CSV table of all heavy atoms in Angstrom, one decimal:
chain,number,residue,atom,x,y,z
A,175,LEU,N,-2.1,-13.0,2.0
A,175,LEU,CA,-2.7,-11.7,2.2
A,175,LEU,C,-1.7,-10.6,2.6
A,175,LEU,O,-1.8,-9.5,2.1
A,175,LEU,CB,-3.8,-11.8,3.2
A,175,LEU,CG,-5.1,-12.6,2.8
A,175,LEU,CD1,-6.0,-12.8,4.0
A,175,LEU,CD2,-5.8,-11.9,1.7
A,176,MET,N,-0.7,-11.0,3.4
A,176,MET,CA,0.3,-10.0,3.8
A,176,MET,C,1.1,-9.6,2.6
A,176,MET,O,1.3,-8.4,2.4
A,176,MET,CB,1.3,-10.7,4.8
A,176,MET,CG,0.7,-10.9,6.2
A,176,MET,SD,1.8,-12.0,7.2
A,176,MET,CE,3.4,-11.4,7.0
A,177,SER,N,1.5,-10.5,1.8
A,177,SER,CA,2.3,-10.1,0.6
A,177,SER,C,1.5,-9.4,-0.5
A,177,SER,O,2.0,-8.5,-1.1
A,177,SER,CB,3.0,-11.4,0.0
A,177,SER,OG,2.1,-12.3,-0.6
A,178,SER,N,0.3,-9.8,-0.7
A,178,SER,CA,-0.5,-9.2,-1.7
A,178,SER,C,-0.9,-7.7,-1.3
A,178,SER,O,-1.1,-6.9,-2.1
A,178,SER,CB,-1.7,-10.0,-2.1
A,178,SER,OG,-2.6,-10.1,-0.9
A,179,HIS,N,-1.0,-7.4,0.0
A,179,HIS,CA,-1.4,-6.1,0.5
A,179,HIS,C,-0.2,-5.3,1.0
A,179,HIS,O,-0.4,-4.1,1.3
A,179,HIS,CB,-2.5,-6.2,1.5
A,179,HIS,CG,-3.8,-6.7,1.0
A,179,HIS,ND1,-4.7,-5.9,0.3
A,179,HIS,CD2,-4.4,-7.9,1.1
A,179,HIS,CE1,-5.7,-6.6,-0.1
A,179,HIS,NE2,-5.6,-7.8,0.4
A,180,GLY,N,0.9,-6.0,1.1
A,180,GLY,CA,2.1,-5.3,1.6
A,180,GLY,C,2.0,-4.8,3.0
A,180,GLY,O,2.5,-3.7,3.3
A,181,VAL,N,1.4,-5.6,3.9
A,181,VAL,CA,1.3,-5.2,5.3
A,181,VAL,C,1.7,-6.3,6.2
A,181,VAL,O,2.0,-7.4,5.8
A,181,VAL,CB,-0.2,-4.8,5.6
A,181,VAL,CG1,-0.6,-3.6,4.8
A,181,VAL,CG2,-1.2,-6.0,5.3
A,182,SER,N,1.7,-6.0,7.5
A,182,SER,CA,2.1,-7.0,8.5
A,182,SER,C,1.0,-8.0,8.9
A,182,SER,O,-0.2,-7.8,8.5
A,182,SER,CB,2.5,-6.2,9.8
A,182,SER,OG,1.3,-5.7,10.5
A,183,ARG,N,1.4,-9.1,9.5
A,183,ARG,CA,0.4,-10.1,9.9
A,183,ARG,C,-0.7,-9.5,10.8
A,183,ARG,O,-1.9,-9.8,10.8
A,183,ARG,CB,1.1,-11.3,10.6
A,183,ARG,CG,0.2,-12.4,11.0
A,183,ARG,CD,0.9,-13.6,11.5
A,183,ARG,NE,1.9,-14.1,10.6
A,183,ARG,CZ,1.7,-15.0,9.6
A,183,ARG,NH1,0.5,-15.4,9.4
A,183,ARG,NH2,2.7,-15.5,8.9
A,184,ASN,N,-0.2,-8.6,11.7
A,184,ASN,CA,-1.2,-8.0,12.7
A,184,ASN,C,-2.3,-7.2,12.0
A,184,ASN,O,-3.4,-7.3,12.3
A,184,ASN,CB,-0.4,-7.1,13.7
A,184,ASN,CG,-1.3,-6.7,14.8
A,184,ASN,OD1,-2.0,-7.4,15.4
A,184,ASN,ND2,-1.2,-5.4,15.1
A,185,THR,N,-1.9,-6.5,10.9
A,185,THR,CA,-2.9,-5.7,10.1
A,185,THR,C,-3.9,-6.7,9.5
A,185,THR,O,-5.1,-6.4,9.5
A,185,THR,CB,-2.1,-4.9,9.1
A,185,THR,OG1,-1.2,-4.0,9.8
A,185,THR,CG2,-3.1,-4.0,8.3
A,186,ILE,N,-3.4,-7.7,8.9
A,186,ILE,CA,-4.2,-8.8,8.3
A,186,ILE,C,-5.2,-9.4,9.3
A,186,ILE,O,-6.4,-9.5,9.1
A,186,ILE,CB,-3.4,-9.8,7.5
A,186,ILE,CG1,-2.7,-9.3,6.3
A,186,ILE,CG2,-4.3,-11.0,7.1
A,186,ILE,CD1,-3.6,-8.7,5.3
A,187,ARG,N,-4.6,-9.7,10.5
A,187,ARG,CA,-5.5,-10.3,11.5
A,187,ARG,C,-6.6,-9.4,12.0
A,187,ARG,O,-7.7,-9.7,12.2
A,187,ARG,CB,-4.6,-10.8,12.7
A,187,ARG,CG,-3.8,-12.0,12.3
A,187,ARG,CD,-3.1,-12.6,13.5
A,187,ARG,NE,-2.5,-13.9,13.1
A,187,ARG,CZ,-1.5,-14.5,13.7
A,187,ARG,NH1,-1.1,-13.9,14.9
A,187,ARG,NH2,-1.0,-15.6,13.3
A,188,ARG,N,-6.2,-8.1,12.1
A,188,ARG,CA,-7.2,-7.1,12.5
A,188,ARG,C,-8.3,-7.0,11.5
A,188,ARG,O,-9.5,-6.9,11.8
A,188,ARG,CB,-6.6,-5.7,12.7
A,188,ARG,CG,-5.7,-5.6,14.0
A,188,ARG,CD,-5.2,-4.3,14.3
A,188,ARG,NE,-6.3,-3.3,14.7
A,188,ARG,CZ,-6.1,-2.1,14.8
A,188,ARG,NH1,-4.9,-1.5,14.6
A,188,ARG,NH2,-7.1,-1.3,15.2
A,189,ALA,N,-7.9,-7.0,10.2
A,189,ALA,CA,-8.9,-7.0,9.1
A,189,ALA,C,-9.9,-8.2,9.2
A,189,ALA,O,-11.1,-8.1,9.0
A,189,ALA,CB,-8.2,-6.9,7.8
A,190,LEU,N,-9.3,-9.4,9.4
A,190,LEU,CA,-10.1,-10.6,9.5
A,190,LEU,C,-11.0,-10.6,10.7
A,190,LEU,O,-12.1,-11.0,10.6
A,190,LEU,CB,-9.2,-11.8,9.4
A,190,LEU,CG,-8.4,-12.0,8.1
A,190,LEU,CD1,-7.3,-13.1,8.3
A,190,LEU,CD2,-9.4,-12.5,7.0
A,191,LYS,N,-10.5,-10.1,11.8
A,191,LYS,CA,-11.3,-10.0,13.0
A,191,LYS,C,-12.5,-9.0,12.8
A,191,LYS,O,-13.6,-9.3,13.3
A,191,LYS,CB,-10.4,-9.6,14.2
A,191,LYS,CG,-9.5,-10.6,14.7
A,191,LYS,CD,-10.3,-11.8,15.3
A,191,LYS,CE,-9.4,-12.8,16.0
A,191,LYS,NZ,-10.1,-13.9,16.5
A,192,ALA,N,-12.2,-8.0,12.1
A,192,ALA,CA,-13.3,-7.0,11.8
A,192,ALA,C,-14.4,-7.7,10.9
A,192,ALA,O,-15.6,-7.5,11.2
A,192,ALA,CB,-12.8,-5.8,11.1
A,193,LEU,N,-13.9,-8.5,10.0
A,193,LEU,CA,-14.9,-9.2,9.1
A,193,LEU,C,-15.6,-10.3,9.9
A,193,LEU,O,-16.8,-10.6,9.7
A,193,LEU,CB,-14.2,-9.8,7.9
A,193,LEU,CG,-13.7,-8.8,6.9
A,193,LEU,CD1,-12.9,-9.5,5.8
A,193,LEU,CD2,-14.8,-8.0,6.2
A,194,GLU,N,-14.9,-10.9,10.8
A,194,GLU,CA,-15.5,-11.9,11.7
A,194,GLU,C,-16.6,-11.3,12.6
A,194,GLU,O,-17.7,-11.9,12.7
A,194,GLU,CB,-14.4,-12.6,12.5
A,194,GLU,CG,-15.0,-13.7,13.4
A,194,GLU,CD,-13.9,-14.3,14.3
A,194,GLU,OE1,-13.0,-13.6,14.8
A,194,GLU,OE2,-14.0,-15.6,14.5
A,195,ALA,N,-16.3,-10.1,13.1
A,195,ALA,CA,-17.3,-9.5,14.0
A,195,ALA,C,-18.6,-9.1,13.2
A,195,ALA,O,-19.6,-9.1,13.8
A,195,ALA,CB,-16.7,-8.2,14.6
A,196,ASP,N,-18.4,-8.9,11.9
A,196,ASP,CA,-19.6,-8.6,11.1
A,196,ASP,C,-20.2,-9.8,10.5
A,196,ASP,O,-21.2,-9.7,9.8
A,196,ASP,CB,-19.1,-7.7,9.9
A,196,ASP,CG,-18.8,-6.2,10.4
A,196,ASP,OD1,-19.2,-5.9,11.5
A,196,ASP,OD2,-18.2,-5.5,9.6
A,197,GLY,N,-19.7,-11.0,10.8
A,197,GLY,CA,-20.3,-12.3,10.4
A,197,GLY,C,-20.0,-12.6,8.9
A,197,GLY,O,-20.7,-13.4,8.3
A,198,VAL,N,-19.0,-12.0,8.4
A,198,VAL,CA,-18.6,-12.2,6.9
A,198,VAL,C,-17.7,-13.4,6.8
A,198,VAL,O,-17.9,-14.3,5.9
A,198,VAL,CB,-18.0,-11.0,6.3
A,198,VAL,CG1,-17.6,-11.3,4.8
A,198,VAL,CG2,-19.0,-9.8,6.4
A,199,VAL,N,-16.8,-13.6,7.7
A,199,VAL,CA,-15.8,-14.7,7.7
A,199,VAL,C,-15.8,-15.4,9.0
A,199,VAL,O,-16.3,-14.8,10.0
A,199,VAL,CB,-14.4,-14.3,7.3
A,199,VAL,CG1,-14.4,-13.7,5.9
A,199,VAL,CG2,-13.8,-13.4,8.3
A,200,GLU,N,-15.3,-16.6,9.0
A,200,GLU,CA,-15.2,-17.3,10.3
A,200,GLU,C,-13.9,-18.1,10.3
A,200,GLU,O,-13.4,-18.5,9.2
A,200,GLU,CB,-16.4,-18.3,10.5
A,200,GLU,CG,-16.5,-19.3,9.4
A,200,GLU,CD,-17.8,-20.1,9.6
A,200,GLU,OE1,-18.7,-19.7,10.4
A,200,GLU,OE2,-18.0,-21.1,8.8
A,201,SER,N,-13.3,-18.3,11.5
A,201,SER,CA,-12.1,-19.0,11.6
A,201,SER,C,-12.4,-20.5,11.6
A,201,SER,O,-13.4,-21.0,12.2
A,201,SER,CB,-11.4,-18.7,12.9
A,201,SER,OG,-10.3,-19.5,13.1
A,202,ALA,N,-11.7,-21.3,10.8
A,202,ALA,CA,-11.9,-22.7,10.7
A,202,ALA,C,-10.6,-23.4,11.1
A,202,ALA,O,-9.6,-23.4,10.4
A,202,ALA,CB,-12.2,-23.1,9.2
A,203,PRO,N,-10.6,-23.9,12.4
A,203,PRO,CA,-9.4,-24.6,12.9
A,203,PRO,C,-8.8,-25.6,11.9
A,203,PRO,O,-9.5,-26.4,11.4
A,203,PRO,CB,-9.8,-25.2,14.1
A,203,PRO,CG,-11.0,-24.4,14.6
A,203,PRO,CD,-11.7,-24.0,13.3
A,204,GLY,N,-7.5,-25.5,11.6
A,204,GLY,CA,-6.8,-26.4,10.7
A,204,GLY,C,-7.0,-26.0,9.3
A,204,GLY,O,-6.3,-26.6,8.4
A,205,ILE,N,-7.8,-25.1,8.9
A,205,ILE,CA,-8.0,-24.6,7.5
A,205,ILE,C,-7.6,-23.2,7.4
A,205,ILE,O,-6.9,-22.9,6.4
A,205,ILE,CB,-9.5,-24.8,7.2
A,205,ILE,CG1,-9.9,-26.3,7.3
A,205,ILE,CG2,-9.8,-24.2,5.8
A,205,ILE,CD1,-11.4,-26.5,7.1
Side-chain angles (χ1 to χ4, degrees):
L175 291 171
M176 287 168 47
S177 68
S178 66
H179 292 281
V181 296
S182 69
R183 183 176 303 277
N184 189 45
T185 302
I186 293 298
R187 286 186 175 165
R188 287 183 72 189
L190 292 169
K191 287 292 186 183
L193 291 173
E194 181 181 37
D196 288 346
V198 176
V199 299
E200 60 190 8
S201 176
I205 297 171

